[in-house]
Amino acid sequence: MNFKRFLPWIIVAVVIIGLYSWASGIYNNAVTLEQDVKESWGNVNTSYQRRNDLIPNLVNTVKGYAEHEKSTLTAVIEARAKATSITIDPKNVTPEQLAAFNSAQSGVSSSLSKLLVSVEQYPNLKADASFMKLQDELASTENQILTARTRFNEAVKPYNNNINTFPRNILAGMYGLKEKPYFEAVAGADKPAEVKF
C-alpha cells in the first residue's frame, strides 16, 4: 500500500535522472569531441610553426648565394611575420578567422615557391648540403601541414555532426556550442601553379 503512494514520485525521479543523464551525456560527448578539435588545431599550429622555424635558416642560406634576390627574400620574411601574427582560439574559431589564417599561410607558401624557383639560377646553392637538407625538411613539413589540416577537418566533422543533429542541436544551442569551420582550399588552388624561369 505504501509503495503505490510513492510510485508517482519514483517515476518522476527516474524520468528526471534519465533526462539529466541524457542531457549531460550530450554535453560531455560534445566536450570530448571539441577537445579532439583543439588537439587537431594544436597539431596544425605545430606544423606551421615548424615551417616558420625553418624559414629563417632557409633565407639565410639563400642570402649568401643570392644577394641580389633581396625582394624575394624580403617577401618570404614579411609573409612569415604576417602568418605568425594571426592566432586563433580553436574553441571560438569562426569561418572568417580561419579564412584569414589560411590566406596568411597561403602567402607564406607562395613566397616560398618564388624563393625556391629563384634558387634554380644558383647551381652551387642547389648543391649546398645545408640548403638541400633545409629544402627536404621544408618539403616534409609541407606534407605534415597537409596531414594536420586533414586531421583537423576529420576532428571537426564528428563535433559538427554531434551538435547539429536533432535533438542534440536544441541542447547545443542552450549550451552555447557552435559549429566549427573546416579548412578549405585557398582561392585559386584549383588552378595549376605557374612556374617561370
Side-chain angles (χ1 to χ4, degrees):
M1 199 89 171
N2 284 338
F3 179 73
K4 287 185 179 180
R5 196 172 62 165
F6 292 110
L7 186 61
W9 291 106
I10 293 171
I11 292 172
V12 168
V14 168
V15 168
I16 289 173
I17 291 170
L19 285 173
Y20 173 78
S21 296
W22 175 73
S24 63
I26 288 174
Y27 180 77
N28 291 338
N29 191 36
V31 168
T32 300
L33 292 171
E34 187 172 48
Q35 290 303 314
D36 291 343
V37 170
K38 286 181 181 179
E39 178 188 20
S40 294
W41 181 252
N43 292 338
V44 168
N45 274 336
T46 300
S47 297
Y48 278 120
Q49 184 60 51
R50 183 170 189 261
R51 178 174 73 176
N52 289 334
D53 291 345
L54 286 172
I55 288 173
N57 294 331
L58 187 67
V59 167
N60 287 334
T61 303
V62 173
K63 202 183 277 185
Y65 285 91
E67 191 58 37
H68 67 279
E69 297 286 348
K70 284 190 181 188
S71 63
T72 304
L73 297 171
T74 302
V76 171
I77 293 166
E78 288 173 357
R80 177 185 178 265
K82 182 179 178 186
T84 56
S85 70
I86 297 176
T87 56
I88 293 179
D89 174 12
K91 186 171 175 77
N92 300 312
V93 65
T94 64
E96 294 78 19
Q97 290 173 324
L98 198 56
F101 179 85
N102 211 12
S103 176
Q105 296 300 336
S106 177
V108 174
S109 296
S110 175
S111 61
L112 277 174
S113 294
K114 290 176 186 170
L115 176 66
L116 294 175
V117 166
S118 71
V119 163
E120 293 296 321
Q121 301 170 25
Y122 304 96
N124 291 342
L125 175 59
K126 290 193 316 187
D128 183 78
S130 60
F131 176 77
M132 295 299 290
K133 184 173 187 278
L134 285 169
Q135 195 172 13
D136 287 345
E137 284 186 40
L138 194 59
S140 169
T141 300
E142 292 297 329
N143 287 333
Q144 288 176 3
I145 289 169
L146 174 62
T147 301
R149 287 174 54 147
T150 301
R151 289 187 180 150
F152 174 79
N153 284 349
E154 289 170 354
V156 166
K157 182 180 178 182
Y159 172 82
N160 285 347
N161 285 342
N162 183 60
I163 67 164
N164 287 323
T165 54
F166 182 80
R168 290 182 173 105
N169 60 342
I170 295 167
L171 291 175
M174 291 177 4
Y175 293 142
L177 302 171
K178 296 180 182 135
E179 187 172 353
K180 308 271 186 220
Y182 290 97
F183 261 111
E184 295 181 7
V186 292
D190 55 336
K191 297 180 178 102
E194 185 178 337
V195 178
K196 295 180 183 175
F197 293 99

